[in-house]
Amino acid sequence: MFADTKFTQLDADGDGRLSVRELEPAVADIGAALGLPAQGSSPNADHIYSEAMSELTHGHGNQEEGVSRAEFQEVLSDILLGMVAGLKKDPIVILRIDGEDLRDFVSSPRYEPAAAAIFAQVASEDASLRQCLLAAVEQLRVDHGMPPAADPWIVDNVVDPALQRLSVDELEQKASKDFFVEQLRKLLGHVAERLQEQPVIVAHTENTFDGNGVRRLLANKFELDKLLDSVWRVVRAEHEKKASKEHLRVALDKMADAASLPPHGVVDQVDAVVNEALKKANADDGKEVDEAEFKKLLTEILGAVMLQLNGEPVFFSTSTVVHEPLSSSSALLTSPAVAAPPNQ
């Protein structure tokens, strides 16, 4: 019923098939749901949009004939199941930030030690109070009651108006620790007032990479061997029986999901651990190795990553302001109202 309703909404001409033009709002909605920037604003994002359209038109129908109702239902099912898998691995918490938690933080015993610690990080000889305060609010997190201060909407509608309520002359002065702590308290009080007037919805996710996912993979010989066979087929060089050690990095990234590791480039601290393990394996020396040696090196690298993360786990969190959808959005992933049977 959900897929049928969405298909009908998109099928503007009512011919029973969705053309490329009719599918464009659906692809835009998929991108928005994945947190991608709007089409045309990023080459990388545009590539993903193109791949989504290709999946809709080439994988299920074609551009000339369009996509049938059954084909659309199949694609939408794949999209939703993919989102379910992602949410199961990295659950997203939706928070309503209305200033109450921020007030509690400012009035609690933990405020002054936290503010002093932040001052030690952001202060410098030529930094003004304004610069220190702006850097400070970006250090605060949702567990302090602060939405992501780097978000442009938060800057324009919350932080800047709150900052304008402080003395302009004092903001341009050099800040001492005690003065900074007191002025930050005032600023956060004004921020809390803005949030009370206009609460902000934030999507928050967090994860700890402690090596246990790698341990589970290494302990499951059947799954490990199957995965090693899979990546070997993908990354081996043109030669039938050998592959360059430079492909170890690519292979490791393909194994990341099964090992409960983030993709390369997402978490800097985990990247550093992986890079060090690759360095010890001389992964960049360009030598070619056979299948057995390639798999052995991959297993050893995973073992080194596991030991490092077991000893020093990496905590990672992200917070994103959830903005209202554009009026032109087709709301592909918004559930339509369904009338309940009379007995419900």
Side-chain angles (χ1 to χ4, degrees):
M1 187 180 296
F2 174 79
D4 187 64
T5 300
K6 295 303 177 186
F7 184 92
T8 301
Q9 291 173 355
L10 293 168
D11 188 15
D13 59 10
D15 66 351
R17 301 192 76 86
L18 299 180
S19 65
V20 170
R21 181 180 294 277
E22 290 171 330
L23 283 167
E24 285 174 352
V27 173
D29 273 354
I30 293 168
L34 295 174
L36 296 175
Q39 283 179 276
S41 60
S42 164
N44 290 335
D46 286 351
H47 174 72
I48 298 174
Y49 283 115
S50 175
E51 289 294 312
M53 181 63 78
S54 177
E55 174 65 19
L56 283 164
T57 56
H58 297 152
H60 301 268
N62 58 63
Q63 292 196 14
E64 290 74 25
E65 297 179 4
V67 177
S68 71
R69 191 176 295 266
E71 291 164 347
F72 177 77
Q73 181 176 351
E74 183 180 347
V75 174
L76 187 56
S77 175
D78 288 345
I79 292 168
L80 294 173
L81 288 172
M83 290 182 174
V84 168
L87 288 169
K88 185 176 181 181
K89 181 181 177 185
D90 296 307
I92 296 175
V93 178
I94 303 300
L95 304 171
R96 183 178 185 272
I97 300 181
D98 58 7
E100 184 177 349
D101 289 342
L102 187 59
R103 282 197 190 90
D104 290 344
F105 166 64
V106 171
S107 62
S108 72
R110 64 190 183 112
Y111 167 72
E112 289 197 8
I118 291 174
F119 179 75
Q121 295 178 42
V122 303
S124 64
E125 288 186 7
D126 55 353
S128 66
L129 175 62
R130 181 192 299 274
Q131 292 170 320
C132 291
L133 290 175
L134 288 174
V137 293
E138 292 191 12
Q139 298 265 346
L140 297 174
R141 304 181 302 276
V142 293
D143 55 331
H144 298 112
M146 183 71 196
D151 181 273
W153 190 92
I154 298 297
V155 173
D156 294 340
N157 295 276
V158 179
V159 176
D160 280 354
L163 201 62
Q164 289 170 12
R165 295 181 61 180
L166 301 181
S167 167
V168 175
D169 292 337
E170 291 178 343
L171 285 173
E172 303 310 321
Q173 294 176 10
K174 187 177 181 302
S176 66
K177 185 184 79 171
D178 291 342
F179 188 53
F180 167 84
V181 170
E182 185 56 35
Q183 292 300 306
L184 179 62
R185 189 194 303 274
K186 290 182 181 179
L187 174 63
L188 295 181
H190 298 322
V191 167
E193 291 177 10
R194 297 289 300 180
L195 292 172
Q196 184 178 10
E197 296 168 2
Q198 199 167 10
V200 174
I201 306 301
V202 172
H204 179 73
T205 182
E206 56 186 49
N207 208 336
T208 300
F209 301 102
D210 56 9
N212 287 335
V214 184
R215 185 185 299 278
R216 287 191 293 272
L217 177 62
L218 294 177
N220 189 332
K221 189 175 186 306
F222 175 77
E223 288 298 325
L224 177 63
D225 288 345
K226 185 169 69 172
L227 188 58
L228 289 170
D229 286 341
S230 174
V231 298
W232 169 256
R233 288 194 298 270
V234 172
V235 305
R236 70 181 176 186
E238 295 178 357
H239 303 292
E240 285 282 331
K241 298 181 180 179
K242 289 192 174 184
S244 169
K245 288 170 68 176
E246 293 176 348
H247 288 148
L248 286 168
R249 188 182 300 274
V250 177
L252 198 62
D253 206 39
K254 292 184 178 295
M255 300 176 73
D257 187 60
S260 298
L261 295 173
H264 180 72
V266 173
V267 183
D268 291 342
Q269 300 97 310
V270 176
D271 286 348
V273 172
V274 172
N275 289 340
E276 183 60 27
L278 288 166
K279 183 178 178 181
K280 290 180 179 178
N282 295 317
D284 295 326
D285 64 11
K287 292 183 179 178
E288 290 192 343
V289 293
D290 60 21
E291 180 179 355
E293 180 65 15
F294 190 84
K295 292 178 177 178
K296 178 174 177 289
L297 285 169
L298 267 179
T299 304
E300 290 175 351
I301 291 168
L302 284 171
V305 169
M306 177 194 72
L307 291 175
Q308 181 63 29
L309 291 177
N310 278 163
E312 297 181 29
V314 172
F315 175 77
F316 177 74
S317 68
T318 60
S319 297
T320 305
V321 175
V322 180
H323 298 282
E324 289 295 320
L326 296 175
S327 58
S328 61
S329 169
S330 67
L332 174 69
L333 301 178
T334 302
S335 180
V338 178
N343 64 347
Q344 295 182 4

